[in-house]
Each structure stands twice: as structure tokens, then as C-alpha cells.
Amino acid sequence: MSAATGGMGASRERDPSQASIGELLTSITRDTSMLVRQEIALAKVELRQEVRTAGKVAGMFGGAALGALMVLLFLSYALWWGLANVMDQGWAALIVAVVWALIAAVLVSVARRQARSLKTLPQTADSVRRVPGAVRGQAHRQTGGQ
């Protein structure tokens, strides 16, 4: 009989239909815990890879920006020297500086105009406005009869 009981105990662990609710809950908790740990480990690995890739991309953009700055600098020098062939060198440098000042002024003007049109987090702001009414149990009425 003891061999049959021993066989039954081993069978009981393998067959979920024979397990008690406590054993099933223990198994579910253990499996869920293992799954969560595995997902966290996977997320860490993926995050490290993404951060590494983002760092490389940022470095490349930084290098490209430095290259663009050098191009603008040397084009400015070339314009200055080209103008210096037909006028005084001081006036040529002043003209190049004024051109860059105009470009900067136009960029600032466009940036200001676009900054004024920014709407910071419109959906979040709407949700936050709804929270007090929702807490009190009031429905938020939108336009259009909803």
C-alpha cells in the first residue's frame, strides 16, 4: 500500500487535476514570480542595449553637428575673404557678421512663434480637470450631448 501511496503522491504533484487549491495557488505564485523575474531580466538586457545604441547615435549626431559647424565656419571665412577681394577686409567681415545676425534673428522669430503655439500635454490637462468630478461621482459632459 505504501508503494501505491508513494506513487499517488508523485502523481498528485504532476497532475494538476489532483492538486489541492493550496498547491495550485503555490504553483501559480511560483510560476508568476519566475515569469516576472524573467521579464525584468529581459527588460534590463533590452534597456542596456537600447542605451548603448542611443549613446552611439547621440555621438554620431554630435559629430555631424560639429562637422556642420566647421562647414559653416569655413564657408563664412570663404565669403569674408571673397568679399575682401572687392572691398576693405573690415567691411567684408562686418557684412558676414550681419548676414549671420539676420539668420539668427529669423530663426529666433520662427522659434518664438512655434513656441507660442505649443500646447503642453492637452490630454493630460483635460484628464486632470476631470479627476475632481470623477471622484465626486459626477460624469464629465462633453460638447455634443455626450
Side-chain angles (χ1 to χ4, degrees), residues 36-105:
V36 168
R37 282 193 303 271
Q38 289 173 344
E39 288 298 322
I40 290 172
L42 177 62
K44 286 179 181 179
V45 169
E46 288 178 335
L47 184 61
R48 278 189 213 111
Q49 290 174 345
E50 289 299 316
V51 166
R52 196 173 300 128
T53 301
K56 289 177 184 176
V57 168
M60 288 182 213
F61 273 123
L66 178 62
L69 177 66
M70 297 305 291
V71 166
L72 289 176
L73 179 68
F74 284 107
L75 285 174
S76 296
Y77 283 148
L79 178 61
W80 176 17
W81 289 339
L83 288 174
N85 287 329
V86 294
M87 65 179 66
D88 184 52
Q89 194 172 16
W91 287 107
L94 183 62
I95 289 172
V96 172
V98 168
V99 167
W100 277 113
L102 290 172
I103 289 171

Side-chain angles (χ1 to χ4, degrees), residues 122-141:
Q123 291 177 338
T124 302
D126 185 48
S127 295
V128 168
R129 278 193 295 271
R130 291 184 198 185
V131 167
V135 169
R136 289 187 299 255
Q138 299 170 347
H140 178 72
R141 303 260 181 218

